[in-house]
Each structure stands twice: as structure tokens, then as C-alpha cells.
């Protein structure tokens, strides 16, 4: 492969190579090409390799990012279905579901243990599809925008690149999620509507038409785009600061266990910020998907601005913090498994 072709596959100043051997090959290439300093372009990958080698920004890299997204979002959202069920009911019927503990008690009394996992199927499929698009397209757009910005600006404006890349990815991801989210909320908040996705989806379409599945797309974008922008940009920033100020060992010298611990911690802290930013729109999505023909104005009139911002927020902070920490832990674990570096870390200096 010609050097120019190889260079096009090198991360755009935000990533590392995939293994120690590839670092040596790249070092040789740089030495033969205008004596470029590889340290200005590379952050070392984890020193504990898995034996796999995935070339950055190759088709295999994007495939790995997509699979990692499916695992991280699909599994974690399904695992917290009981918490999500209580949250949705607190948002829809606060007079009945007054607190987290009483909400669990009511659901257990009325629906039993199985009732706590009502809506698990649309949750699993919907958030798996969303995770595939969210992480896969984030990696794509992050490279695309950093290439557009150029070497120096990619480092100087890295946070803007994180924000733009995550927002672009989430627009696509929510199109995949929206139909499943509509059915999930209806199944979870209207007992007797349907047992799950298999009977709930056709019943929903019969009642409101196929277009009704996307009735909540705008509020969903309003919830998920700020959430994802905060999730990715704050995570990248928090992880960079942890390696800079809290971890005494440089990232490239840390074990995989340490790096994955940083990923979980950074994800949990980012999740708290995500929950606060996106919560008003989350209340809107639940309200609109529960009531046929409801509008945003109806939600504001019934819940009030304060209610939109705070109803169910403590539970959502706990749920989203745990969820986001676990998602980054799973995603980066899968990346390490296929021989890729964990996400985030100290940004390299600008190329001279």
C-alpha cells in the first residue's frame, strides 16, 4: 500500500494505532516521509493486546463500532427496564405513582414480577438499533469533521467536533429508535393495551396509522440529541481530564483494567449531565406517546415547566448515570477485545 493510501486510514488526530507492530510500521513510514513526528499524531493503544488487529477507519473498524453500539445500548437499556417502567408511569400518572419505592410496590402488586419487565422487547430491539447508529455514525462523523477541519483545527476545536459528530449520529439513530419507543411507552403505561411488541405494534398501527409511530420524533430528537451531545462531548473531556490529573500513569502505560475503569467512571459522570439536560424532552415523549392526539401544549399545560424539568428526575439521574457508565464500559471492552484502543484520553499536540 502506498504511503498516501496508508495515511488516509490514520486517525484524524483523535485516535491511536491498533497495535505495537502497526506503530513500528507507521513510525518507519513517517521517517521516510518528510521526517514527520509520529508522536504529534498518535496516542498509544492499550498495551495488553487481544491478538486481533483492526485497522482504524477501515470497514472492519466501523463494523466493530456498530456491534459495540448494539451491545452497549441494547443490553443496558433492557437491563434497566424495571426502572424505566417506574419512571414512565411516574411521568404519566404522578397522582398514583408518587415515588420510586411506591411505584415499584404498585407495579409488583398489580402486575407481579413479570410486569416489571413489560416492554422489554421493543426496548431491546429499539435501543440496539439506536446504539448501532449512534456509535457507528459517531465514529464516522468524528473522523469526517476532523478531516474537514484539518490537523491544527481538529485539535483546537475538538469539543466542537465531538458535539457535531454526536448530534449528526443521533439524528439518524432516533429514526431507527422512534417506532419502538412509541410502542414501548404505550405498552408500559397502559395496562391491557398489549403484552409486548408482537401484538402491540400492529395494534398501535391500526389505531394511529404507520405515521403515528413517528408522532414523537421531534420530542425524541429534542431529548436524545442534547443527551447524546452531552454524553459524547463530556465523556471525551472527562476522560481526558482523568488521565491528565487523576491517573498518575500515562494512558499508554495503563492496563486494560485501568483504562476500562476510567471509561466507566467517565461515562457515569457524563450520564448525570445527560439526564439533567434531556429530562424535559423525556417527559414530553412519555406524555405524547401515552395520549392519542396529545400536543406539546397539552403537556406544558398539564405538567407545567417545573414539572417537565423535575418530574421523575432523581430516578432518571440514577438510571442514566448507571446506564451511561455501563455503556461506555461495554463499548470500550468490545473495542479492546477486537484490538482497538479505548475511547478518549489526552489529545495529542497539533501537527507542526
Amino acid at each position: 500500500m502506498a504511503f498516501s493510501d496508508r495515511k488516509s486510514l490514520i486517525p484524524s488526530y483523535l485516535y491511536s494505532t491498533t497495535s505495537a507492530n502497526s506503530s513500528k510500521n507507521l513510525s518507519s513510514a513517517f521517517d521516510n516521509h518528510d521526517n514527520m513526528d509520529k508522536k504529534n499524531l498518535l496516542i498509544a493503544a492499550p498495551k495488553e493486546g487481544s491478538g486481533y488487529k483492526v485497522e482504524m477507519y477501515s470497514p472492519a473498524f466501523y463494523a466493530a463500532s456498530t456491534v459495540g453500539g448494539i451491545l452497549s445500548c441494547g443490553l443496558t437499556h433492557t437491563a434497566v427496564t424495571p426502572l424505566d417502567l417506574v419512571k414512565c408511569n411516574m411521568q404519566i400518572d404522578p397522582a398514583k405513582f408518587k415515588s420510586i419505592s411506591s411505584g415499584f410496590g404498585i407495579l409488583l402488586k398489580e402486575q407481579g414480577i413479570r410486569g416489571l419487565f413489560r416492554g422489554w422487547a421493543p426496548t431491546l430491539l429499539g435501543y440496539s438499533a439506536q446504539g448501532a447508529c449512534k456509535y457507528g455514525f459517531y465514529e464516522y462523523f468524528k473522523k469526517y469533521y476532523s478531516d474537514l477541519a484539518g490537523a491544527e483545527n481538529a485539535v483546537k476545536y475538538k469539543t466542537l467536533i465531538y458535539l457535531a459528530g454526536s448530534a449528526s449520529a443521533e439524528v439518524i439513530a432516533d429514526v431507527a429508535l422512534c417506532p419502538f419507543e412509541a410502542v414501548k411507552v404505550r405498552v408500559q403505561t397502559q395496562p391491557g393495551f398489549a403484552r409486548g411488541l408482537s401484538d402491540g405494534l400492529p395494534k398501535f398501527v391500526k389505531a394511529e396509522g404507520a405515521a403515528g409511530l413517528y408522532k414523537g420524533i421531534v420530542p425524541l430528537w429534542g431529548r436524545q440529541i442534547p443527551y447524546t451531545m452531552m454524553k459524547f462531548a463530556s465523556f471525551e473531556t472527562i476522560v481526558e481530564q482523568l488521565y491528565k490529573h487523576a491517573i498518575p500513569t500515562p494512558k499508554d502505560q495503563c492496563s486494560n483494567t485501568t483504562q476500562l475503569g476510567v471509561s466507566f467512571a467517565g461515562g457515569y459522570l457524563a450520564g448525570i449531565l445527560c439526564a439533567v439536560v434531556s429530562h424535559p424532552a423525556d417527559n414530553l415523549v412519555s406524555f405524547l406517546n401515552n395520549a392519542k392526539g396529545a400536543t406539546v401544549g397539552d403537556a406544558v399545560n398539564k405538567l407545567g415547566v417545573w414539572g417537565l424539568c423535575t418530574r421523575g428526575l432523581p430516578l432518571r439521574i440514577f438510571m442514566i448515570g448507571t446506564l451511561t457508565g455501563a455503556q461506555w464500559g461495554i463499548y470500550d471492552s468490545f473495542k479492546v477485545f477486537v484490538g482497538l484502543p479505548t475511547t478518549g484520553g489526552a489529545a495529542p499536540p497539533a501537527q507542526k
Side-chain angles (χ1 to χ4, degrees):
M1 180 184 291
F3 178 81
S4 58
D5 294 332
R6 187 185 298 272
K7 183 180 177 183
S8 66
L9 294 173
I10 297 171
S12 296
Y13 321 110
L14 299 174
Y15 277 106
S16 71
T17 57
T18 59
S19 69
N21 289 335
S22 59
S23 292
K24 294 177 181 178
N25 294 335
L26 285 169
S27 176
S28 176
F30 281 130
D31 289 339
N32 294 330
H33 187 82
D34 298 332
N35 295 317
M36 292 178 66
D37 180 4
K38 71 169 184 175
K39 293 183 179 179
N40 285 343
L41 294 175
L42 306 175
I43 304 173
K47 64 179 181 180
E48 297 176 9
S50 64
Y52 292 86
K53 295 180 181 179
V54 174
E55 194 166 19
M56 296 294 294
Y57 298 103
S58 64
F61 168 78
Y62 291 115
S65 299
T66 300
V67 173
I70 291 173
L71 294 174
S72 68
C73 291
L75 295 178
T76 52
H77 277 277
T78 304
V80 298
T81 296
L83 285 173
D84 187 47
L85 182 63
V86 173
K87 174 189 70 70
C88 287
N89 280 282
M90 288 177 66
Q91 292 170 330
I92 297 302
D93 192 357
K96 181 178 180 180
F97 296 87
K98 296 180 180 180
S99 67
I100 298 171
S101 58
S102 67
F104 274 110
I106 291 170
L107 289 172
L108 281 171
K109 182 179 180 181
E110 295 182 351
Q111 303 179 30
I113 294 292
R114 292 183 62 183
L116 291 178
F117 286 90
R118 182 180 296 275
W120 72 267
T123 298
L124 175 62
L125 295 179
Y127 283 94
S128 292
Q130 186 215 36
C133 297
K134 185 198 296 278
Y135 283 90
F137 280 108
Y138 173 68
E139 301 288 7
Y140 169 79
F141 283 118
K142 184 163 68 169
K143 181 182 187 301
Y144 178 74
Y145 292 139
S146 65
D147 286 345
L148 286 180
E152 185 175 348
N153 287 332
V155 175
K156 184 177 181 180
Y157 300 109
K158 60 183 183 293
T159 300
L160 292 179
I161 290 173
Y162 302 149
L163 292 170
S166 57
S168 300
E170 190 60 40
V171 169
I172 300 171
D174 288 344
V175 174
L177 169 65
C178 194
F180 297 98
E181 182 76 359
V183 175
K184 177 187 78 72
V185 171
R186 190 68 60 89
V187 168
Q188 289 182 332
T189 59
Q190 290 187 12
F193 171 75
R195 295 187 305 274
L197 180 64
S198 60
D199 58 335
L201 179 59
K203 192 171 183 179
F204 191 106
V205 172
K206 183 178 180 179
E208 301 195 27
L213 292 170
Y214 283 93
K215 179 178 66 174
I217 187 64
V218 173
L220 188 62
W221 277 330
R223 179 187 81 185
Q224 290 297 131
I225 292 176
Y227 166 87
T228 301
M229 293 171 71
M230 180 66 74
K231 173 180 178 176
F232 283 88
S234 61
F235 172 82
E236 299 260 17
T237 302
I238 289 169
V239 167
E240 180 179 336
Q241 295 304 310
L242 287 175
Y243 280 117
K244 187 180 294 184
H245 301 293
I247 308 297
T249 306
K251 179 183 177 182
D252 62 336
Q253 297 177 26
C254 291
S255 66
N256 282 346
T257 301
T258 299
Q259 293 192 37
L260 293 174
V262 171
S263 294
F264 178 81
Y268 198 98
L269 293 173
I272 294 173
L273 299 176
C274 292
V276 174
V277 167
S278 63
H279 194 65
D282 184 64
N283 272 318
L284 278 177
V285 170
S286 295
F287 186 91
L288 293 177
N289 284 328
N290 179 67
K292 183 178 180 179
T295 66
V296 173
D298 295 333
V300 174
N301 290 334
K302 183 173 181 178
L303 302 178
V305 175
W306 179 252
L308 283 174
C309 295
T310 61
R311 182 167 293 171
L313 181 59
L315 177 57
R316 192 156 185 267
I317 286 176
F318 172 74
M319 185 180 79
I320 297 300
T322 305
L323 197 72
T324 308
Q327 285 175 354
W328 279 113
I330 293 171
Y331 181 66
D332 275 350
S333 293
F334 186 77
K335 288 177 71 176
V336 169
F337 174 74
V338 298
L340 290 166
T342 57
T343 309
Q351 181 183 0
K352 296 180 180 179

